[in-house]
Every structure is written in structure tokens, then in C-alpha cells.
Amino acid sequence: MTLFTVHIPVEARDPQEIADKIRVSPEKASLAAFLLGPIWLVAQGAWLATGVWVLAMTGLVGAVLLLGLSPPGLAAVVLLIQVFIGVEGHQMVRGAASRGRFKCVDVVNARDADEAQREALRRLLAAQQPARPAAPLYRPANDLPGIGLFPGAGG
């Protein structure tokens, strides 16, 4: 079972609109993000993270050319960056989604994204229905005599 964060559009009010635009994001590492790096980030819509990756790689190539960093050292640094993207890639995507377009509303434990989406919709729709007012714990009966100095109802 995996934890998923549930995101809905900030402006969504209608349950149908929420159901159409809901997003779930797993709280786990991504092998595709590790292997494909910037291609995966672009496909997920994390443009800012992709720009940071491009700047980091440009800086590393510049360091190799200007400072004479060894190629194995460069490969180790690139590998560490890719491991970081693989581990934190979903967090970068959530950050990109939360910049004004989506808000995080729930965390769901599910086997896959479809099950997480169904559970999140069930919870969201249940929360939108008005709750029944609770029955009072004590209902005074009108035919009981008064207690102490206080007379009963009606007299």
C-alpha cells in the first residue's frame, strides 16, 4: 500500500468538477524520474525543477571545463543529482501543482492511483453532504414536577 496526496483545483466547487480534475500523487520514489530526469519532470509539468536541473548541469559542465574536475567526479555528481530527482521527483511535481492551481486536501492509503482517487472522491463527497443535527442528550418532559424551588413547566 502506498500513501497518495490528493489535490483538487483551488477554484473547484462543484462535485463533478472536482471528480474531473482531481489529482493524486504517490509518496514514493520514481524509477522513471531517476532514469529520465528532466524528460520526466517536463512530462509531469514541473518546469521550474527542470530549469534548475538544466542550470545545475550547465554549471557542472562549466566546472569540468574551468576547474578541471575529473570525468569520474562529474559522473558521480550527475548520478547523485539523478538519485535526488528519483527520490524527490514526486515532491517537485506536487510543488509545481500547488503554485496557485491545486491545493492538497487529503492523504489516502491505497494500492494504486485509481483506488486512491476513488477513496479520495468518496471522502470529499461525504464531507460535502450536510451532517444531521445530533439529538440533544436531555429532553425535559413537561409533566414532571419541579425540582427544589423551581416549578414544573406551566405553573
Side-chain angles (χ1 to χ4, degrees):
M1 301 279 277
T2 304
L3 284 177
F4 290 86
T5 54
V6 179
H7 306 268
I8 62 171
V10 173
E11 71 280 349
R13 302 282 183 253
D14 181 39
Q16 183 63 37
E17 183 180 3
I18 291 173
D20 289 341
K21 296 183 179 180
I22 192 169
R23 283 187 172 182
V24 293
S25 180
E27 293 280 335
K28 65 178 184 176
S30 171
L31 181 62
F34 169 71
L35 295 175
L36 301 175
I39 297 169
W40 185 85
L41 289 171
V42 168
Q44 299 294 320
W47 297 99
L48 184 61
T50 306
V52 169
W53 183 90
V54 168
L55 289 176
M57 289 301 143
T58 305
L60 285 174
V61 169
V64 167
L65 296 176
L66 294 177
L67 302 176
L69 185 66
S70 68
L74 174 66
V77 172
V78 169
L79 180 66
L80 286 175
I81 290 172
Q82 289 304 110
V83 167
F84 177 76
I85 289 175
V87 171
E88 293 294 324
H90 287 293
Q91 180 64 28
M92 294 176 196
V93 172
R94 281 190 294 277
S98 67
R99 283 190 201 97
R101 297 179 299 157
F102 286 84
K103 62 181 176 180
C104 182
V105 294
D106 200 0
V107 177
V108 177
N109 192 13
R111 285 182 179 74
D112 59 4
D114 291 334
E115 182 181 342
Q117 191 172 12
R118 283 191 301 272
E119 176 65 19
L121 283 172
R122 186 190 62 76
R123 287 185 189 181
L124 286 171
L125 294 178
Q128 287 183 350
Q129 294 176 356
R132 259 186 5 190
L137 297 176
Y138 171 72
R139 291 186 185 189
N142 290 337
D143 58 347
L144 293 177
I147 300 175
L149 300 174
F150 302 102

